[in-house]
Amino acid sequence: MSDNDLGTFLRGRREAVTPAEAGLPAGPRRRTPGLRRSELATLAGVSVEYLTRLEQGRDRNPSAQVLGALADALHLSLAERVLLRRLTERGACAEDPLVCAAAPPLSRTVRPTVRAVLDRLEPTPAVALNWIGDVLARNQGFERLAGPLGMLDGERPNLLRYVFTDERSRAAYPDWADEADDLVARLRHDVPLRDPYVTELADELTVTAGAEFTDRFADLTLTPRRIGNRRVRHPRAGVLHLLHETLALPEDGQWITVHLPADGATAAALDRLVGRRPGALRAVPAAG
């Protein structure tokens, strides 16, 4: 993590908001992209000096009122507001580590009931992961889907290592960049504040994956998707259009990801892949 994530985020969002979006005239000879620091300070009702301290990392613990005013002035989405609060918590930890509890132990196994849920979801592909992307348990549907892609190779499969260090992932995901964005966003924002496991994995991928990983890890605008769709190019089933739902298990530091066919062709292909009669899986239309 950077020493000044909060300041980096505020400055980046300030530079992304146009004067028109903030209800201000553009004016001549603007050399600053987005809003000037003085403009944001006025909109949020804080001093320019205080906003400067926040952006430079000299103050990392603004009040909730200041955060709310900045979020309103920057037109932040709900996800961005949650991230802003989280970055403030990180800043408080950096200034006084005693205010933050140590990270809980990283889970390596699942409870029997979680295992039973995965089995009950057959033939729908489903997998249980911990917060750094380790594959803890999966059902046969997921094995048939992910195994031929190389995703489950090795003693302890990990989705981030697969996507960033295994060349097969580029062929498996036609929209590889979107998949990489989502995994890094989850690693960046869905983890305990003080977590040595994330630091260890991030250091590893910084070396093994280089800029493809580090640029994303430094991008505070990336936020994870709980629902969404992905395309998978499968060597046996062709291109699959899948919807995914994420079911959080917060007490375990885990989540279950369920993959659902987004169209009839994908449903039929998954049926063939898992050896079920046609119609065992039905397409689920995307929302909207």
Side-chain angles (χ1 to χ4, degrees), residues 51-252:
L51 181 57
T52 301
R53 292 204 306 273
L54 289 176
E55 290 192 356
Q56 293 179 350
R58 292 185 286 120
D59 189 316
R60 303 182 186 183
N61 194 23
S63 68
Q65 290 77 15
V66 168
L67 289 180
L70 288 169
D72 289 343
L74 292 169
H75 301 286
L76 299 188
S77 67
L78 176 59
E80 289 170 331
R81 289 169 184 262
V82 172
L83 173 57
L84 179 63
R85 179 58 186 165
R86 189 167 185 81
L87 295 177
T88 305
E89 292 172 352
R90 286 179 181 159
C93 289
E95 289 185 349
D96 183 5
L98 293 179
V99 305
C100 297
L106 183 68
S107 55
R108 300 291 190 190
T109 60
V110 299
R111 290 180 282 111
T113 49
V114 175
R115 174 73 262 180
V117 167
L118 295 176
D119 291 340
R120 297 299 190 278
L121 289 170
E122 294 282 10
T124 304
V127 59
L129 308 164
N130 63 18
W131 66 69
I132 63 169
D134 289 335
V135 176
L136 305 181
R138 67 266 188 177
N139 62 12
Q140 291 184 2
F142 188 81
E143 289 180 0
R144 299 284 182 90
L145 172 65
L149 305 177
M151 195 180 298
L152 301 178
D153 290 358
E155 183 178 350
R156 197 178 73 196
N158 178 281
L159 295 192
L160 281 113
R161 287 193 185 96
Y162 172 73
V163 165
F164 282 99
T165 67
D166 193 322
E167 284 298 321
R168 291 174 293 183
S169 70
R170 306 278 180 155
Y173 292 117
D175 307 304
W176 182 91
D178 292 339
E179 196 69 24
D181 286 349
D182 192 50
L183 285 172
V184 173
R186 184 168 291 173
L187 182 72
R188 195 74 161 87
H189 303 306
D190 282 4
V191 299
L193 291 177
R194 298 170 63 199
D195 185 69
Y197 308 103
V198 171
T199 300
E200 180 182 1
L201 180 60
D203 289 347
E204 173 192 330
L205 292 176
T206 295
V207 176
T208 58
E212 290 277 28
F213 172 78
T214 57
D215 288 352
R216 288 178 168 84
F217 198 65
D219 187 351
L220 300 176
T221 66
L222 294 178
T223 52
R225 299 174 297 167
R226 304 290 175 239
I227 58 175
N229 58 77
R230 58 169 52 99
R231 291 189 300 157
V232 174
R233 185 180 291 112
H234 196 278
R236 300 175 188 169
V239 176
L240 304 173
H241 295 261
L242 300 168
L243 304 175
H244 62 86
E245 284 280 351
T246 300
L247 312 176
L249 305 171
E251 292 186 359
D252 303 297

